[in-house]
Amino acid sequence: MPVPLFDLSRLGPQVDEAVRDAALRVLGHRGYVLGAEVEAFEKDLEAYLAQNREECHAVGMSSGTDAQLALLMALGIGHGDAVISTPYTFFATAGCIHRTGAEILFCDINPSTFMMDPESLRSLLASLQRGSDGFLHSPKGNRVRLIVPIHLFGAICDLEKIMAISAEFGVEVLEDAAQILGGEYLWKQGTKKAGIIAPTSYVSFYPSKNLGAAGDAGVALCLDAEMAENLRRIRNHGMEQRYYHKVVGGNFRIDAIQAAVLRAKLPFLDGWNATRRANAAEYRAAFTAAGLLDRVTLPAEPHLSSGLTNHHIYHQYVIRVKDRGAVMARLTEKKIGCAIYYPVPLHLQECFAYLGHKSGDFPVSELAAKESLALPIFPGLRQDEIGEVVAGIRESIA
Ligand SMILES: Cc1ncc(COP(=O)(O)O)c(C=O)c1O
């Protein structure tokens, strides 16, 4: 029985209808870019994220990548600066840092969570020299301005430790929340949604994300009203008044259709996240019953003991397996969808050869790139399909 890696049609007719109505409304009023649809979505998203009435500002952008670039521009990151992130992730994070002219500094990940390892971060920061300007400097002499940890695959990284270390060394944090809309974290005796813990953050609404648009879209998030104003200018070529450019920005504007579609889908998000978690529990039961737990490492749930429901929202279900080639071959033969996120860690990508890294520099990231395999987890995936995926894996490594 074929099993797709991802199937948007399984969200059902109610969602299809809500999406169609939203898109048709925009086609009807023809206000295609920014405007009331975007403002309404931004307000709904702020209310969704800031349950405890914290100040939180959402600025819709043309993609997650553009949201990150706009944030880096708003933070004034550029030539002479350095930004720390991890090499095992999607390209966008490091790509945006490069595009500002800043230097990329990598630190390795934790082997069980796939995310920034606070101890590696501490060693990196501790190895740097502080200059007469008060900033830490990279060996190339650039000021270390920012740390970008990534909430990978729908799990929350160890932000409490990362933010404590960043405060100790005087470096700001920007959360990459591209994959985690709806995830929650226990923060100073309260609950906070990922994306509004650090001062700045961003989310991607690429169609396969837990909340996906009908094309590309993203949002920049920040806790400061002035920063939000600046982001609004930057997304529209630095303009406040038409054709008067206060700062240099870009065209990072979100389409009204995307905002309307996202607003129509937002009320379903918590339900979809719950379904993804139920699918993960089903996988755990099936892998256990198949006796595979000694050969397959299931995704870590780093904040399971927090007592929160949304401690993991399973954007991806990524296992680790030594003989990945054999597993993929069998699953492909059975027409079962699977994918490698991500096959080449960023420090070994051709475009970053100029950074001078080599194999072995970030061994935990390199091993994750060799062993990780994403399996279907989308809402609407059936129990018998999960059984089929696990059976395929058992056949390949029995
Ligand atoms: C971790 C991470 N960061 C950034 C992005 C970029 O978002 P977008 O594809 O919306 O530009 C993605 C998208 O997949 C991502 O997964």
Side-chain angles (χ1 to χ4, degrees):
M1 172 176 60
V3 183
L5 180 61
F6 181 63
D7 183 358
L8 266 176
S9 75
R10 305 263 188 110
L11 295 180
Q14 198 193 354
V15 176
D16 282 345
E17 199 180 314
V19 167
R20 210 169 14 245
D21 286 352
L24 288 174
R25 186 176 67 240
V26 177
L27 293 177
H29 64 56
R30 299 183 181 83
Y32 294 134
V33 178
L34 297 179
E37 298 283 356
V38 171
E39 283 164 30
F41 170 59
E42 290 172 345
K43 287 274 153 301
D44 282 7
L45 188 63
E46 288 167 3
Y48 174 78
L49 287 167
Q51 310 135 299
N52 303 320
R53 297 167 182 257
E54 306 103 328
E55 191 172 2
C56 147
H57 304 272
V59 181
M61 297 278 176
S62 35
S63 68
T65 306
D66 288 345
Q68 194 203 346
L69 189 57
L71 279 161
L72 294 176
M73 290 168 81
L75 290 165
I77 303 286
H79 290 282
D81 295 330
V83 179
I84 299 174
S85 193
T86 44
Y88 178 69
T89 184
F90 181 58
F91 175 76
T93 321
C96 287
I97 297 167
H98 168 96
R99 283 203 276 159
T100 64
E103 180 187 355
I104 306 160
L105 293 178
F106 288 119
C107 90
D108 216 344
I109 55 168
N110 176 292
S112 70
T113 66
F114 294 125
M115 295 184 285
M116 184 176 278
D117 180 39
E119 287 320 308
S120 303
L121 174 66
R122 176 183 287 286
S123 328
L124 172 61
L125 289 168
S127 72
L128 303 174
Q129 301 290 323
R130 200 171 286 281
S132 54
D133 57 2
F135 282 103
L136 288 177
H137 283 250
S138 74
K140 289 183 183 156
N142 295 309
R143 290 172 307 168
V144 180
R145 295 273 315 276
L146 195 67
I147 301 166
V148 187
I150 296 144
H151 300 297
L152 207 59
F153 303 145
I156 298 190
C157 66
D158 203 343
L159 263 188
E160 194 164 347
K161 279 202 197 127
I162 291 170
M163 295 213 18
I165 295 169
S166 74
E168 191 185 320
F169 286 88
V171 185
E172 207 173 297
V173 175
L174 182 158
E175 287 173 70
D176 180 326
Q179 303 190 356
I180 199 173
L181 191 63
E184 286 171 331
Y185 191 68
L186 212 51
W187 183 254
K188 299 190 172 131
Q189 281 98 45
T191 305
K192 263 206 174 198
K193 286 231 158 75
I196 62 163
I197 301 171
T200 52
S201 169
Y202 71 96
V203 176
S204 162
F205 299 122
Y206 186 73
S208 60
K209 292 292 188 290
N210 291 27
L211 180 66
D216 276 305
V219 71
L221 302 169
C222 63
L223 307 183
D224 178 70
E226 254 179 61
M227 168 66 85
E229 274 316 297
N230 200 14
L231 286 165
R232 291 205 163 84
R233 280 192 289 268
I234 286 173
R235 85 172 156 189
N236 200 11
H237 290 297
M239 289 188 282
E240 254 163 35
Q241 199 184 337
R242 210 169 168 78
Y243 305 130
Y244 290 80
H245 303 267
K246 210 177 166 78
V247 292
V248 175
N251 174 1
F252 304 137
R253 297 180 300 248
I254 181 171
D255 291 338
I257 277 198
Q258 301 308 344
V261 165
L262 289 164
R263 188 165 171 237
K265 289 175 84 175
L266 183 59
F268 297 96
L269 177 64
D270 284 344
W272 293 330
N273 287 346
T275 310
R276 286 171 179 271
R277 246 189 332 273
N279 291 344
E282 194 59 46
Y283 268 120
R284 180 168 289 279
F287 276 116
T288 309
L292 287 175
L293 294 188
D294 56 339
R295 278 156 290 167
V296 175
T297 307
L298 304 189
E301 295 189 317
H303 306 288
L304 179 65
S305 60
S306 67
L308 300 178
T309 312
N310 292 303
H311 58 89
H312 199 321
I313 50 115
Y314 283 102
H315 169 55
Q316 300 292 353
Y317 188 85
V318 179
I319 59 164
R320 295 180 74 136
V321 60
K322 293 251 175 288
D323 202 353
R324 183 175 67 187
V327 172
M328 284 192 83
R330 181 68 187 135
L331 293 183
T332 307
E333 200 181 350
K334 293 184 81 173
K335 296 192 169 43
I336 293 173
C338 60
I340 301 174
Y341 303 120
Y342 300 88
V344 182
L346 299 180
H347 65 287
L348 300 179
Q349 291 286 352
E350 194 178 338
C351 65
F352 292 140
Y354 73 92
L355 292 172
H357 291 299
K358 58 182 185 326
S359 243
D361 281 357
F362 301 98
V364 188
S365 295
E366 289 165 30
L367 192 63
K370 285 197 179 90
E371 294 184 348
S372 59
L373 186 65
L375 305 177
I377 186 79
F378 59 90
L381 181 68
R382 296 189 314 266
Q383 198 174 337
D384 60 327
E385 290 176 315
I386 291 175
E388 194 73 11
V389 177
V390 174
I393 294 175
R394 197 189 52 226
E395 287 155 25
S396 61
I397 56 174

